[in-house]
Amino acid sequence: MTSETRTAGFEVHGARGAFNAAFFSMMGPYLERSLRRHKRRVFADLPGTVVELGAGVGANLGYLRPGSTLIAIEPNVPMHRRLRAAAERHGVRLDLRDSLAERTGLPDRSVESVISSLVLCTVSDPAEVLAEVRRILRPGGTFRFVEHVAARAGSPTRALQGALRRPWAWTFEGCSCERDLAGLLRTAGFARVDIEQYRLHTPFIPFNTQIAGVAHA
Ligand SMILES: C[S@@+](CC[C@H](N)C(=O)[O-])C[C@H]1O[C@@H](n2cnc3c(N)ncnc32)[C@H](O)[C@@H]1O
């Protein structure tokens, strides 16, 4: 692989892809401690087959029952080795696809549950991703999410999110801390959207303003 290649329309950065895979493996336990309370609530009682957008190195495998199937949409190939190993450790059957969350390739109304954590910040077009989630969910299905979002306009955190925009996006492969994802979710056409907004207290200040919730198809 060259230092920058494309996989299924996704730009894979050789060095940064490997860095992010190592970063999220190393930081996994810390992120998990910070997010566990919210993940436990929104990822409770997942069905036996789940689609995960941007599964990374497998941060959410612990929320699936052993023997479950995870259809993991993860175009970032440097994540794959660790994701496969983590799925094996958790006893989860992994159906790994290097497609994009914007175009999963899954049939209309075929899925009971889609999950994501810290992904809508990074995809190129979150509105397109939400339209795709609605397309693949069957009526009554759920999209469960834990995401970081823009802080309140005019707040010090919002100013910092703007100031760090470029180095943050460069380091974390396109991640933006300035997205109004709650607004997007509420206007995406779901039958009902339940969202909790909260603030973490980590040293990664631009990342501390968060939402977690469930959108019902
Ligand atoms: C910040 S990481 C989060 C990984 C994991 N969900 C977690 O909570 O640790 C963002 C993930 O989204 C993936 N990603 C970025 N753009 C994507 C897209 N268009 N479709 C699917 N996944 C994407 C990245 O490869 C990366 O694994």
Side-chain angles (χ1 to χ4, degrees):
M1 189 185 293
T2 57
S3 63
E4 290 204 357
T5 57
R6 277 181 174 272
T7 300
F10 178 85
E11 211 171 82
V12 177
H13 301 269
R16 270 177 286 160
F19 164 79
N20 273 268
F23 178 88
F24 282 100
S25 287
M26 200 181 68
M27 292 300 288
Y30 175 77
L31 290 172
E32 182 56 25
R33 276 198 302 282
S34 307
L35 297 173
R36 184 160 40 210
R37 187 160 71 84
H38 307 284
K39 286 188 176 182
R40 274 192 182 146
R41 189 171 60 78
V42 296
F43 295 159
D45 301 322
L46 285 167
T49 298
V50 172
V51 173
E52 180 167 11
L53 310 177
V57 294
N60 298 320
L61 286 161
Y63 296 92
L64 275 71
R65 285 190 300 273
S68 303
T69 297
L70 180 68
I71 302 173
I73 309 296
E74 179 49 80
N76 208 346
V77 175
M79 304 274 184
H80 287 186
R81 181 179 56 80
R82 292 170 199 260
L83 178 57
R84 283 201 184 91
E88 205 168 307
R89 279 199 305 281
H90 282 88
V92 168
R93 273 193 295 271
L94 184 66
D95 176 350
L96 177 53
R97 305 181 181 207
D98 67 1
S99 47
L100 298 177
E102 289 88 340
R103 291 183 294 282
T104 61
L106 295 166
D108 290 357
R109 299 173 163 226
S110 61
V111 172
E112 196 177 336
S113 206
V114 178
I115 66 173
S116 77
S117 68
L118 315 179
V119 170
L120 295 178
C121 52
T122 304
V123 298
S124 330
D125 188 339
E128 205 182 328
V129 170
L130 294 178
E132 176 70 354
V133 170
R134 282 191 59 220
R135 184 187 69 76
I136 64 174
L137 278 177
R138 55 175 71 127
T142 53
F143 173 46
R144 301 141 182 249
F145 50 86
V146 176
E147 298 285 347
H148 68 96
V149 296
R152 185 174 44 77
S155 65
T157 301
R158 186 69 188 80
L160 190 63
Q161 289 172 336
L164 293 180
R165 175 184 309 143
R166 292 182 70 165
W168 187 281
W170 189 87
T171 307
F172 297 113
E173 300 187 286
C175 176
S176 167
C177 296
E178 300 179 279
R179 292 186 175 171
D180 172 17
L181 297 175
L184 273 184
L185 278 150
R186 288 199 176 100
T187 54
F190 288 98
R192 198 180 96 211
V193 183
D194 301 318
I195 300 181
E196 180 196 1
Q197 297 186 273
Y198 55 93
R199 186 175 184 105
L200 299 179
H201 297 283
T202 79
F204 304 100
I205 293 167
F207 163 88
N208 282 346
T209 43
Q210 300 244 341
I211 58 171
V214 182
H216 302 259

